[in-house]
Amino acid sequence: MPSTATDPGHAYAATSHIPFTFYTNPSTYDHYLSLPPSYASLHSAPFPLLLSLHSGAESQLAPQTSYFALRHGAPKLILAYDRLCSGLAPQIDIPARNPSSGPDPSRDPVDPAAARLLAESCITVTPVLDLSHSARHSWDCTTLLTLLDELARDWRVDPARIYVTGFGMGARAAWELALRAPAQIAALLPIGGGGDALRASVMRDVPVWAWHGREDRLVDVAETEAMVAALREVGAGECWCTVLDGVGHDAAWTRAYGGVETWEWMLEHQGESVEAPSVEFVLPVLGDLGAQVRGKLSGGEAIGV
């Protein structure tokens, strides 16, 4: 069944400089989709596609609350890009489903270069998990693969550059998608969640950069470390792991998604592994955006920054 462009019932997804549309689809998932600003003018050019899967805390609970899914990941960068184009700071302010009295990492600014690179290079799709449907209390990977097939049919998607990222519950689904359809995924970026290590050999040719906060109290870092260890054991061609010391659950993906190096790494891949890079990266320290931390990736070893 084709997707239908629909008013999401809120203003948080409104943009002026980049197409960003909410689609309903009763046979797969409702989803937000962004198109690069050049999509219309480049009439025949295919574009990379990024599937961004949110965590459980961003799931929809009631009608017109799909905006929870916009707080992190690809949609945050798309909305930050739109603000940049309006001369505003690259940060967003969208209510949380379960507000806390502490800092809200979703409000942290992103690297302007990261927002520009993702928004101008990729078609992004952010499915919305609606918890008001009793049968959909977690991501269904068969349904997600169907959605990817529909997107490839309806939009100018480069089939060699389909990327998947997810955080929390979305990370577990991202791993599972790579296990089920490894040939379809050009690179995988799971943050704060693990997969089925016993099946790791199935996806040994999928380039992976996994992230996790060492102080994560919701999903133990051991989940990610076990999956990475299993991939290396079966001879994975490219498997990176960044463990962030002093960082918890939500803050891990804020750090991972907020730097341009993450997206540069992803976009290097075109359906096959590339030579493992050695890159230096700089990311903002949460709560002190004037400070910076540096990390060095070399040889695929887990590091803390």
Side-chain angles (χ1 to χ4, degrees):
M1 185 175 295
S3 299
T4 303
T6 306
D7 182 349
H10 59 78
Y12 296 110
T15 56
S16 301
H17 305 282
I18 183 170
F20 191 49
T21 307
F22 182 64
Y23 290 91
T24 56
N25 189 322
S27 65
T28 57
Y29 288 107
D30 296 348
H31 54 276
Y32 289 92
L33 185 136
S34 73
L35 296 173
S38 62
Y39 185 91
S41 59
L42 299 176
H43 302 291
S44 60
F47 286 84
L49 172 68
L50 172 64
L51 175 67
S52 180
L53 301 172
H54 63 70
S55 73
E58 283 71 49
S59 301
Q60 178 171 306
L61 293 178
Q64 302 182 350
T65 60
S66 61
Y67 55 82
F68 297 136
L70 304 176
R71 288 170 36 82
H72 298 285
K76 176 181 176 179
L77 273 79
I78 297 303
L79 295 173
Y81 171 82
D82 193 70
R83 287 178 56 83
L84 277 171
C85 292
S86 295
L88 302 173
Q91 59 191 131
I92 63 171
D93 187 1
I94 298 176
R97 199 179 87 188
N98 300 304
S100 68
S101 58
D104 182 355
S106 77
R107 295 190 174 98
D108 289 354
V110 301
D111 183 341
R116 291 191 182 97
L117 180 61
L118 185 65
E120 295 176 356
S121 302
C122 287
I123 300 169
T124 75
V125 60
T126 303
V128 177
L129 184 62
D130 188 348
L131 294 185
S132 66
H133 295 294
S134 60
R136 292 185 173 180
H137 279 205
S138 61
W139 291 114
D140 181 90
C141 288
T142 300
T143 304
L144 288 170
L145 289 170
T146 300
L147 176 61
L148 284 176
D149 289 342
E150 292 181 358
L151 293 166
R153 178 197 67 205
D154 296 340
W155 304 97
R156 296 199 311 273
V157 173
D158 183 346
R161 303 184 75 187
I162 295 176
Y163 309 110
V164 178
T165 189
F167 49 96
M169 180 178 68
R172 290 171 174 157
W175 284 113
E176 183 61 25
L177 284 173
L179 290 166
R180 292 196 190 189
Q184 198 170 340
I185 298 173
L188 188 72
L189 186 65
I191 307 170
D196 184 355
L198 295 177
R199 296 156 58 208
S201 62
V202 174
M203 57 168 293
R204 61 177 173 266
D205 294 326
V206 178
V208 174
W209 189 354
W211 294 65
H212 212 118
R214 194 174 300 280
E215 306 307 317
D216 193 328
R217 297 294 179 256
L218 294 180
V219 181
D220 197 299
V221 66
E223 284 197 19
T224 291
E225 291 175 332
M227 195 66 192
V228 169
L231 284 167
R232 291 176 179 167
E233 180 68 23
V234 299
E238 185 176 0
C239 183
W240 303 89
C241 182
T242 298
V243 176
L244 299 163
D245 289 331
V247 171
H249 193 58
D250 293 13
W253 50 77
T254 301
R255 293 276 294 280
Y257 290 140
V260 68
E261 294 81 6
T262 304
W263 306 110
E264 289 175 337
W265 172 86
M266 183 189 77
L267 289 166
E268 286 177 355
H269 297 85
Q270 300 188 44
E272 60 183 11
S273 183
V274 297
E275 183 179 353
S278 177
V279 296
E280 189 174 32
F281 62 91
V282 182
L283 295 172
V285 176
L286 297 175
D288 182 6
L289 294 172
Q292 292 178 323
V293 290
R294 291 181 180 267
K296 185 78 172 176
L297 269 72
S298 57
E301 294 298 320
I303 63 170
V305 297

